[in-house]
Amino acid sequence: MISTDYALLHRQSAALFEGIRDQTANAANLAAIIYHGVEGLNWAGFYWWKDGGLILGPFQGRPACVRIAAGRGVCGAALHGRRTLRVPDVQAFPGHIACDPKSRSEMVIPLFVGERPLGVFDLDSPRPGRFSPEDQTGLEAIAALFLANIDPESG
Ligand code: SME
């Protein structure tokens, strides 16, 4: 099992966010912290809810699908269901959108500001079953820190 020091990543994120409330800047730095600090990822980044769908935001990894229609893919399903989705085998997930054919597992955390959908934080791995409940807990706490440290852009 891969163990990640999420307490350290949380402190590093807090330090980078200090004094900055810009959504794009903090999302870009967070994507970089997670991509480089969590082992075994091939993509980490954001999609923003805009004009009734999801549109690509800051990320690390290979170029990705730009638009995801409402409710589509793991990203749309997580936002629609308002809960984190951990998908151990993306090929077994009906409607999974394969931006990178190397991706084997995925975790998507929905982001809300009050009742308003902001978007999703999406992580992909080339390893099947990469994301554990501990990864979910650690990354949800960091996503909450991100939400507490931005002035949301209007979407
Ligand atoms: N796999 C996602 C699409 C986004 S990429 O993984 C970066 C999905 O099914 O929603």
Side-chain angles (χ1 to χ4, degrees):
M1 202 185 94
I2 304 167
S3 174
T4 304
D5 189 345
Y6 283 109
L8 175 64
L9 293 177
H10 194 282
R11 287 198 299 278
Q12 289 174 339
S13 304
L16 273 172
F17 297 158
E18 206 176 326
I20 313 285
R21 296 195 59 84
D22 185 276
Q23 180 179 324
T24 302
N26 284 349
N29 264 339
L30 185 54
I33 283 196
I34 299 304
Y35 184 78
H36 293 286
V38 177
E39 215 188 305
L41 302 183
N42 62 335
W43 204 86
F46 293 83
Y47 281 88
W48 305 133
W49 178 254
K50 206 171 181 181
D51 301 329
L54 286 166
I55 187 148
L56 185 62
F59 70 93
Q60 298 272 310
R62 292 190 181 281
C65 328
V66 172
R67 288 180 197 282
I68 299 175
R72 296 300 174 100
V74 184
C75 290
L79 191 65
H80 189 76
R82 293 175 172 252
R83 65 182 183 91
T84 298
L85 284 182
R86 272 189 296 122
V87 180
D89 174 5
V90 292
Q91 287 160 354
F93 186 94
H96 168 254
I97 300 164
C99 294
D100 181 344
K102 285 203 174 72
S103 295
R104 284 289 170 274
S105 60
E106 180 162 8
M107 183 163 80
V108 179
I109 300 172
L111 305 172
F112 282 84
V113 175
E115 286 299 300
R116 180 163 88 78
L118 185 78
V120 298
F121 186 33
D122 180 18
L123 299 104
D124 290 272
S125 173
R127 299 184 201 164
R130 165 64 187 80
F131 302 103
S132 67
E134 288 70 30
D135 291 307
Q136 178 173 344
T137 305
L139 287 160
E140 283 178 343
I142 291 171
L145 180 74
F146 167 74
L147 287 170
N149 279 276
I150 57 162
D151 294 324
E153 293 160 14
S154 53

